[in-house]
């Protein structure tokens, strides 16, 4: 999914129901370097994507993270944590993503499609 400012793409199936990356279509550095207008637009988009990912169902929390050590391009990660899996609550969610068996392809595809549809609907 893309719009004039942002692009979303899903990482391949992994242990979490869905991992989405959001990045700007133009180079942006750190959040603190953004103008107030750019920061406000980014905040609205972060909330919009979080709602879309949470809306796929059976999601306990969407971890919204930014990693970029060694890179100067802004990428936001949306990691969908499944509901009723207490072992993955908290900061260890990303680690469990690499340990748990991958989400089955048909479920993963349905999750990706649901996020795209939610983004198109807004």
């Amino acid at each position: 999914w893309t719009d004039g400012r942002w692009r979303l793409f899903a990482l391949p199936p992994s242990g979490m129901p869905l991992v989405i990356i959001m990045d700007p279509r133009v180079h942006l550095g750190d959040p603190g370097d953004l103008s107030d207008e750019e920061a406000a637009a980014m905040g609205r988009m972060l909330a919009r994507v979080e709602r879309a990912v949470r809306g796929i169902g059976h999601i306990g929390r969407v971890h919204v993270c930014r990693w970029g050590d060694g890179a100067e391009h802004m990428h936001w990660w949306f990691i969908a944590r499944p509901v009723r899996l207490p072992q993955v609550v908290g900061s260890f969610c990303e680690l469990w993503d690499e340990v748990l068996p991958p989400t089955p392809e048909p479920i993963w595809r349905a999750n990706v499609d649901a996020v795209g549809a939610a983004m198109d609907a807004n």
Side-chain angles (χ1 to χ4, degrees):
W1 181 90
T2 61
D3 72 1
R5 290 185 177 181
W6 300 97
R7 178 177 74 121
L8 302 180
F9 61 93
L11 294 184
S14 61
M16 294 297 113
L18 189 61
V19 178
I20 296 280
I21 304 291
M22 179 182 98
D23 66 349
R25 295 183 68 177
V26 299
H27 178 77
L28 294 176
D30 292 320
D33 297 333
L34 302 178
S35 69
D36 288 345
E37 180 183 317
E38 291 170 326
M42 181 184 65
R44 287 188 299 273
M45 184 57 69
L46 289 170
R48 184 176 169 196
V49 175
E50 192 274 343
R51 284 190 299 268
V53 173
R54 190 170 12 108
I56 66 177
H58 305 289
I59 302 302
R61 170 118 13 213
V62 178
H63 293 254
V64 180
C65 314
R66 180 175 175 268
W67 288 290
D69 293 343
E72 294 188 18
H73 190 62
M74 188 181 309
H75 297 89
W76 291 94
W77 294 62
F78 298 81
I79 304 170
R81 177 183 59 77
V83 71
R84 294 186 297 276
L85 190 58
Q87 301 92 307
V88 302
V89 170
S91 62
F92 295 111
C93 176
E94 196 278 327
L95 297 174
W96 278 101
D97 183 49
E98 298 177 14
V99 174
L100 293 171
T103 299
E105 179 88 21
I107 295 171
W108 175 84
R109 174 57 53 200
N111 293 343
V112 170
D113 291 346
V115 169
M119 295 301 292
D120 284 341
N122 291 320

